[in-house]
Amino acid sequence: MKIDVLTLFPAMFAGPLNESIIKRAREAGLLDLTIHQLRDYTHDRHKTVDDRPFGGGPGMLLKPEPIFEAVEKISRPATKVILMSPSGRPFTQAVARELAQESDLLLVTGHYEGFDERIRELLADDELSIGDYVLTNGALPAMVVVDAVTRLLPGALGDAESANEESFSSGLLEYPQWTRPAEFRGMKVPDMLLSGNHAEIAKWRAGQARVRTRERRPDLL
Ligand code: JCQ
């Protein structure tokens, strides 16, 4: 999969996408990731990417010309153009699974008060939010999408990591788990898990997952 990212802060991408599973997926050729500096698509002396909103009001908007030029130069016929902003539709595991089926993504990251509406109307195929909070810019949300999508690409996860994908596909939160030692600072692992009765253990875990989901995320039930 090819993923392009358009950002004012390319340096933010240096760390997280060069570690662990994503690093391995890039080295294996599963992910071809390119980070583009939006300012490189301006033509004025000050490399202007933003301007004040018509009608007044606080803050600045990303102006259309640099983003249109960048998207037209970077995208290919199959490219799905996605804006990252708090006004987008929620990014979920189901959306990650959909995006993992695409061949080309271009993630356009915003900041300030937002995008000139013509960017939305004419360029964007989709607009995604990673959650109901406001960040300083869309670089972290773009990295979240790249990470969640890349780990779903066939061959990205090893066997041990793949097992983990089961957890969210149940639609419930994960049940509690323990590893050795069986007693730590006086706290014991539930006897049930030491019983060796795998049918009973599976039933117990399903119950624990439901209890935890009802307490923390009743919206998922
Ligand atoms: C994305 N959840 C939060 C902030 C404006 C118009 O674009 C803007 C983008 C940002 C950065 O993204 C987020 C975000 N999902 O804050 C303001």
Side-chain angles (χ1 to χ4, degrees), residues 2-87:
K2 177 87 185 89
I3 304 183
D4 292 286
V5 179
L6 188 58
T7 177
L8 286 167
F9 308 102
M12 287 182 68
F13 291 78
L17 304 176
N18 288 308
E19 298 284 347
S20 174
I21 293 166
I22 308 305
K23 179 187 190 182
R24 201 176 63 206
R26 295 177 75 176
E27 288 169 352
L30 300 176
L31 170 65
D32 178 1
L33 178 70
T34 309
I35 311 300
H36 305 264
Q37 167 59 267
L38 175 60
R39 262 184 228 289
D40 291 348
Y41 298 87
T42 59
H43 297 289
D44 64 308
R45 286 200 309 128
H46 299 104
K47 301 186 191 271
T48 310
V49 295
D50 54 1
D51 206 341
R52 294 148 60 202
F54 280 116
M60 300 286 270
L61 298 178
L62 288 169
K63 58 199 272 93
E65 302 96 313
I67 294 188
F68 270 72
E69 180 167 328
V71 170
E72 284 162 359
K73 284 198 170 135
I74 295 164
S75 64
R76 307 196 264 187
T79 301
K80 184 160 183 175
V81 178
I82 300 172
L83 307 185
M84 302 306 308
S85 95
S87 308

Side-chain angles (χ1 to χ4, degrees), residues 132-146:
D132 292 337
Y133 35 77
V134 180
L135 302 168
T136 53
N137 68 79
L140 288 167
M143 286 187 258
V144 165
V145 170
V146 171

Side-chain angles (χ1 to χ4, degrees), residues 6-200:
L6 188 58
T7 177
L8 286 167
F9 308 102
M12 287 182 68
F13 291 78
L17 304 176
N18 288 308
E19 298 284 347
S20 174
I21 293 166
I22 308 305
K23 179 187 190 182
R24 201 176 63 206
R26 295 177 75 176
E27 288 169 352
L30 300 176
L31 170 65
D32 178 1
L33 178 70
T34 309
I35 311 300
H36 305 264
Q37 167 59 267
L38 175 60
R39 262 184 228 289
D40 291 348
Y41 298 87
T42 59
H43 297 289
D44 64 308
R45 286 200 309 128
H46 299 104
K47 301 186 191 271
T48 310
V49 295
D50 54 1
D51 206 341
R52 294 148 60 202
F54 280 116
M60 300 286 270
L61 298 178
L62 288 169
K63 58 199 272 93
E65 302 96 313
I67 294 188
F68 270 72
E69 180 167 328
V71 170
E72 284 162 359
K73 284 198 170 135
I74 295 164
S75 64
R76 307 196 264 187
T79 301
K80 184 160 183 175
V81 178
I82 300 172
L83 307 185
M84 302 306 308
S85 95
S87 308
R89 69 182 181 115
F91 180 65
T92 61
Q93 190 65 22
V95 174
R97 288 189 202 107
E98 285 173 27
L99 296 184
Q101 307 295 317
E102 301 284 334
S103 62
D104 298 70
L105 301 178
L106 170 51
L107 306 180
V108 180
T109 66
H111 74 153
Y112 306 126
E113 300 311 308
F115 297 101
D116 179 289
E117 193 63 20
R118 290 165 290 195
I119 296 166
R120 252 182 209 105
E121 287 173 356
L122 282 130
L123 284 185
D125 296 307
D126 206 346
E127 181 168 353
L128 295 175
S129 163
I130 64 160
D132 292 337
Y133 35 77
V134 180
L135 302 168
T136 53
N137 68 79
L140 288 167
M143 286 187 258
V144 165
V145 170
V146 171
D147 187 290
V149 170
T150 300
R151 64 184 289 288
L152 296 179
L153 300 177
L157 298 183
D159 289 342
E161 297 147 357
S162 291
N164 214 6
E165 174 61 10
E166 301 293 318
S167 60
F168 221 99
S169 60
S170 75
L172 300 177
L173 300 187
E174 188 55 278
Y175 47 77
Q177 299 191 88
W178 291 261
T179 185
R180 293 186 293 178
E183 182 175 345
F184 173 69
R185 298 191 178 179
M187 294 179 289
K188 290 186 172 148
V189 173
D191 284 332
M192 157 67 57
L193 297 173
L194 310 176
S195 69
N197 186 336
H198 295 293
E200 282 302 308

